[in-house]
Amino acid sequence: MVESKKILFVCVENAGRSQMAEGLLRKFAPQFDVISAGTKPKSQLIPNVIDVMKEIGIDITEQKPKELTNEMIAQSITVNMGCMDKKSYPALFVDDVIDWNISDPKDKDIEELRKIRDQIKNEVLNLITKLDDQ
């Protein structure tokens, strides 16, 4: 039996971008094992992030911010959502991190959140294509 590829989406607070990416990958590529995490996770997701995901039929209300572990990094293909805080983001020191450089959704209005969501969706769909070709 072939083990599914593990994908890890990382940002500092694990309350927005990485959670959107996790929800999108679960929907479009359930064959992959996906998780998101952060180095300083918040206690809950950004409410408007949940709302913009519901607009495209993805419910992430059950997802919770999680703390990033070295084990997660070691076992996964790691995607940095755009966090560049070297003190808070140890995965920057991993050789094969994919970096998407996506804006932080914190304190953004709903229109900006939609743009961020759509950018993440495009990145996720491109990632799926690349992973399926491997």
Side-chain angles (χ1 to χ4, degrees):
M1 188 162 124
V2 177
E3 187 176 329
S4 68
K5 292 179 183 164
K6 294 181 180 186
I7 314 301
L8 169 64
F9 295 108
V10 180
C11 61
V12 174
E13 295 180 348
N14 190 221
R17 293 170 286 195
S18 53
Q19 295 286 349
M20 285 191 270
E22 179 181 344
L24 286 157
L25 192 67
R26 283 189 199 288
K27 176 170 179 93
F28 295 120
Q31 70 272 26
F32 298 119
D33 185 7
V34 62
I35 192 167
S36 65
T39 52
K40 294 181 181 177
K42 289 291 193 186
S43 60
Q44 62 186 25
L45 302 188
I46 299 167
N48 285 345
V49 165
I50 294 169
D51 295 340
V52 298
M53 292 299 286
K54 282 183 180 175
E55 289 177 356
I56 61 168
I58 299 173
D59 184 359
I60 62 170
T61 55
E62 296 301 314
Q63 291 178 204
K64 305 288 183 223
K66 297 163 283 305
E67 187 163 1
L68 180 66
T69 67
N70 288 331
E71 183 179 322
M72 287 175 183
I73 295 168
Q75 296 176 353
S76 305
I77 296 167
T78 304
V79 178
N80 174 24
M81 300 305 295
C83 309
M84 297 309 292
D85 179 354
K86 289 184 169 80
K87 291 179 187 168
S88 303
Y89 186 59
L92 284 174
F93 305 105
V94 177
D95 290 334
D96 59 351
V97 172
I98 300 166
D99 193 349
W100 285 353
N101 196 26
I102 300 198
S103 297
D104 189 344
K106 187 168 60 175
D107 302 323
K108 298 282 194 298
D109 66 32
I110 201 80
E111 286 304 318
E112 283 298 310
L113 284 176
R114 287 179 181 129
K115 289 176 187 173
I116 292 168
R117 176 203 61 207
D118 293 345
Q119 182 184 5
I120 294 170
K121 180 180 176 183
N122 289 335
E123 293 286 0
V124 165
L125 293 173
N126 288 335
L127 179 65
I128 292 166
T129 300
K130 288 177 187 171
L131 293 173
D132 282 341
D133 290 344
Q134 290 181 356

